[in-house]
Amino acid sequence: MIRVHSFSGGVGSMTAAVRDAEANGFEDLLLLFTDTLIEDRDLYRFMIESAAFIYGLPKPIDLICRCKDIPDVDKDMPARALTGLNRTV
């Protein structure tokens, strides 16, 4: 059985996943993040670090370093827009 946790990037969802992993192991644990594209880049860093912690992996420094390249939500929203989803009615 796969256990799915909504992984929002907040401390609450991280804590719930940690408790589940501690109680049941992480082999069948799936963290599900639904990106709204309006999150601060530090949220992605936190999620990467906490997912590594939950799964007992070393910090993936290469991924953490790439978070600084995510466009700033306060200054560069057009760079975050999904493309190709516009439709005419």
Side-chain angles (χ1 to χ4, degrees):
M1 177 176 73
I2 296 176
R3 299 174 331 274
V4 180
H5 278 272
S6 177
F7 199 57
S8 66
V11 73
S13 66
M14 191 266 300
T15 302
V18 167
R19 287 183 176 180
D20 185 6
E22 289 174 347
N24 305 300
F26 57 81
E27 291 78 18
D28 295 328
L29 178 66
L30 178 68
L31 303 177
L32 178 64
F33 173 60
T34 53
D35 197 349
T36 62
L37 301 176
I38 58 168
E39 303 291 353
D40 187 83
R41 66 177 66 128
D42 193 53
L43 175 119
Y44 301 102
R45 179 210 49 83
F46 176 76
M47 290 182 63
I48 291 166
E49 288 186 19
S50 56
F53 174 78
I54 291 166
Y55 287 103
L57 301 170
K59 281 186 183 181
I61 301 301
D62 57 325
L63 288 177
I64 293 167
C65 289
R66 290 174 59 188
C67 290
K68 67 178 175 23
D69 298 329
I70 296 171
D72 191 323
V73 69
D74 294 326
K75 298 177 183 147
D76 201 8
M77 279 305 292
R80 289 176 162 233
L82 292 173
T83 58
L85 297 180
N86 296 337
R87 66 180 183 144
T88 56
V89 179

